[in-house]
Amino acid sequence: MATEVKLLGIWPSPFVFRVKVALQLKGVDYEYFEEDPFNKSPRLLESNPIHKKVPVLIHGKKPINESLTILEYIEETWQNNPLLPQDPYERATFWNKAFAAFIAKGEAKEKIEKEVIEGLEKIDGAIKEKSSLFNSAAGGESIGFLDIVFGVIGYWLPIYEEAGSMQTHTQKFPAIAEWTTKFVNHPVIKENLPSTESLLPFFRQVHEFVSSASNN
């Protein structure tokens, strides 16, 4: 019998990692398909014909794209082990609080780095205040929605920096560093987390490819 839930992804992606962790925390059985970003499969092109990107979650015959949208879908579809606040007021105001710390996108590299640093400052401040939005920062044993969304930052950004993609000076944010240590030591995170040694060569290759393309 075919698995009802399928996930299309690539192993180095922090956005795919988010979805894997959420599915595992919810206890959802799924079938994983590793994609080649340079030779996209018919399944991916059919499931995400506009952006042609991973992650894509397929539930039955329904494809869901974009990691945050997928996380919301998982939370609403499988309501065990809730990732969002269960108090009605907390849940209603969740997104206003969450997106205050969201990192905006820009076109110029300098602008992107500036916005990333501003976002990191807000996240660092929320963690220092032991915001209940970050379960692991507030001393909880469970992993919450924002832990999954932003947990990739503390782990992947230093790798981007070392690979030459950007400079965000993550060492200036001690609260994020402490929170990241707790986050990556959670059993579910440990089980799914790619090693730094495996990620670095991939992102160096990506950086070189992008630099080469922009110089042509």
Side-chain angles (χ1 to χ4, degrees):
M1 182 178 176
T3 306
E4 186 183 28
V5 180
K6 298 177 174 65
L7 175 61
L8 314 184
I10 59 172
W11 68 268
S13 168
F15 308 108
V16 174
F17 174 77
R18 286 173 174 171
V19 179
K20 285 182 176 180
V21 168
L23 288 170
Q24 188 158 344
L25 288 170
K26 292 283 189 177
V28 178
D29 291 328
Y30 67 96
E31 188 174 1
Y32 178 71
F33 294 87
E34 180 70 22
E35 289 287 333
D36 181 349
F38 303 105
N39 184 23
K40 297 173 182 179
S41 71
R43 189 194 302 267
L44 174 59
L45 297 176
E46 182 182 339
S47 303
N48 192 356
I50 297 175
H51 300 294
K52 305 177 177 65
K53 293 180 179 178
V54 295
V56 177
L57 183 77
I58 303 173
H59 186 200
K61 295 184 178 180
K62 297 182 295 186
I64 304 100
N65 307 315
E66 305 292 340
S67 65
L68 291 178
T69 303
I70 294 170
L71 291 182
E72 288 184 76
Y73 180 84
I74 290 171
E75 177 72 348
E76 293 298 327
T77 305
W78 295 279
Q79 297 182 3
N80 58 305
N81 300 328
L83 303 174
L84 283 167
Q86 292 305 289
D87 177 83
Y89 177 78
E90 283 295 318
R91 190 170 181 123
T93 59
F94 173 83
W95 287 114
N96 287 337
K97 296 177 184 177
F99 282 100
F102 196 78
I103 298 168
K105 294 182 180 178
E107 293 181 1
K109 183 178 178 182
E110 293 79 10
K111 183 181 179 184
I112 293 173
E113 290 181 358
K114 182 174 181 288
E115 290 173 348
V116 168
I117 290 170
E118 288 172 355
L120 289 173
E121 288 171 348
K122 292 177 183 177
I123 295 167
D124 200 66
I127 295 171
K128 284 177 181 174
E129 293 169 5
K130 298 192 181 300
S131 168
S132 61
L133 292 174
F134 295 87
N135 287 8
S136 54
E141 294 299 322
S142 62
I143 295 291
F145 197 97
L146 281 194
D147 289 301
I148 296 172
V149 171
F150 291 114
V152 300
I153 289 173
Y155 189 76
W156 260 267
L157 270 184
I159 296 171
Y160 290 167
E161 290 185 356
E162 191 168 342
S165 299
M166 62 171 62
Q167 291 299 318
T168 55
H169 308 290
T170 49
Q171 69 275 12
K172 293 183 179 178
F173 305 102
I176 290 178
E178 183 180 353
W179 165 56
T180 300
T181 300
K182 292 179 182 177
F183 178 76
V184 300
N185 282 302
H186 187 281
V188 172
I189 303 303
K190 265 186 170 181
E191 184 177 336
N192 291 279
L193 200 64
S195 69
T196 302
E197 291 76 14
S198 63
L199 288 171
L200 258 177
F202 176 84
F203 285 110
R204 280 179 176 144
Q205 184 180 5
V206 170
H207 177 62
E208 289 170 7
F209 176 80
V210 172
S211 298
S212 174
S214 64
N215 290 331
N216 291 336

